[in-house]
Amino acid sequence: MEGSLDDNGSAADSRVTELQLGKRVKEIRLSHNLTLEEASRRTGLARSTLSKIENEQISPTFQAVQKLANGLNIDIPQLFATAKESRCAGRRDITRAGQGRVHPTPTYEHEMLASQLTNKQMLPYRSIVRSRSFDDYPSWVRHDGEEFLLVLSGKVRFYTEFYEPVDLEAGDSSYYDGGMGHALVSISEEDAEVLWVTST
């Protein structure tokens, strides 16, 4: 009977490897923001075959594994690594100048960076500070995580709930608790530009 070779654990090991492989294929595909159709075109494997691999309905042949690695632009060992091991192996996203995802608000014009990566531990974004007065904010800005702020250009006044306001110029930075009320306004002639990195 298939799967009964438990004396030396080989069948059990095989089942574990297959489970991890299907999960890893889907995880890698999603990390590249690929649909099944797009992954099919890249790998040369039928969409239905990819779906069955991801759902553990079939085990891929070695030739299919090679196509997966080539099409997803990874090394074969990465297919068999755990999620934690894969992250250690390296992920990368490049955002060209001015090509981030724009997210305007009444007080800021945010440009979200590294927006192609999923499950990030940090959220980096560059912002133009439109606000000129603390009164522009209906309430304190608060959010989960910790935040790092670096002034890229211009001058800002940094308001925080438990501290006196402080003026920051290009090159100045602050690290603070995002749950503490905070707000930022431009006090230079031009709108200031800042870089924020928020933990998620």
Side-chain angles (χ1 to χ4, degrees):
M1 179 177 177
E2 183 178 347
S4 61
L5 304 176
D6 288 333
D7 291 341
N8 59 12
S10 60
D13 291 343
S14 176
R15 285 195 296 272
V16 170
T17 298
E18 289 168 8
L19 176 64
Q20 292 175 339
L21 181 57
K23 182 179 179 181
R24 287 291 296 132
V25 169
K26 185 173 184 178
E27 184 179 77
I28 293 169
R29 174 175 66 79
L30 293 177
S31 74
H32 286 72
N33 291 319
L34 296 175
T35 64
L36 278 170
E37 289 80 4
E38 291 168 334
S40 174
R41 287 195 297 270
R42 287 193 180 194
T43 61
L45 296 172
R47 181 189 183 281
S48 58
T49 300
L50 280 172
S51 179
K52 288 177 181 178
I53 291 173
E54 289 185 359
N55 291 296
E56 309 299 338
Q57 295 173 355
I58 63 171
S59 298
T61 64
F62 181 70
Q63 184 180 20
V65 169
Q66 287 180 311
K67 288 183 176 181
L68 284 167
N70 291 334
L72 297 175
N73 196 28
I74 59 171
D75 295 325
I76 288 179
Q78 287 179 260
L79 285 171
F80 298 93
T82 64
K84 183 176 181 180
E85 289 170 344
S86 176
R87 281 195 292 271
C88 291
R91 298 195 303 163
R92 190 186 78 171
D93 186 11
I94 292 174
T95 306
R96 298 292 185 186
Q99 294 184 5
R101 183 164 51 87
V102 177
H103 179 68
T105 74
T107 49
Y108 303 108
E109 184 175 324
H110 298 307
E111 182 188 8
M112 314 308 289
L113 307 174
S115 58
Q116 298 301 310
L117 286 179
T118 59
N119 301 317
K120 292 190 290 290
Q121 301 301 308
M122 300 179 293
L123 180 64
Y125 52 104
R126 182 168 49 211
S127 302
I128 297 173
V129 184
R130 302 294 191 197
S131 174
R132 292 289 174 166
S133 168
F134 180 73
D135 294 332
D136 292 340
Y137 296 87
S139 61
W140 286 110
V141 177
R142 303 177 193 274
H143 51 77
D144 292 336
E146 296 180 320
E147 193 157 68
F148 175 76
L149 162 69
L150 172 66
V151 182
L152 299 176
S153 66
K155 189 174 182 179
V156 298
R157 182 157 294 148
F158 184 36
Y159 294 89
T160 48
E161 189 172 8
F162 305 123
Y163 300 87
E164 289 295 319
V166 60
D167 294 348
L168 302 173
E169 299 182 352
D172 293 340
S173 63
S174 178
Y175 188 104
Y176 53 95
D177 181 359
M180 174 180 64
H182 56 279
L184 203 63
V185 301
S186 286
I187 58 173
S188 49
E189 183 176 345
E190 72 281 6
D191 291 338
E193 186 176 12
V194 301
L195 173 70
W196 263 306
V197 181
T198 305
S199 64
T200 59

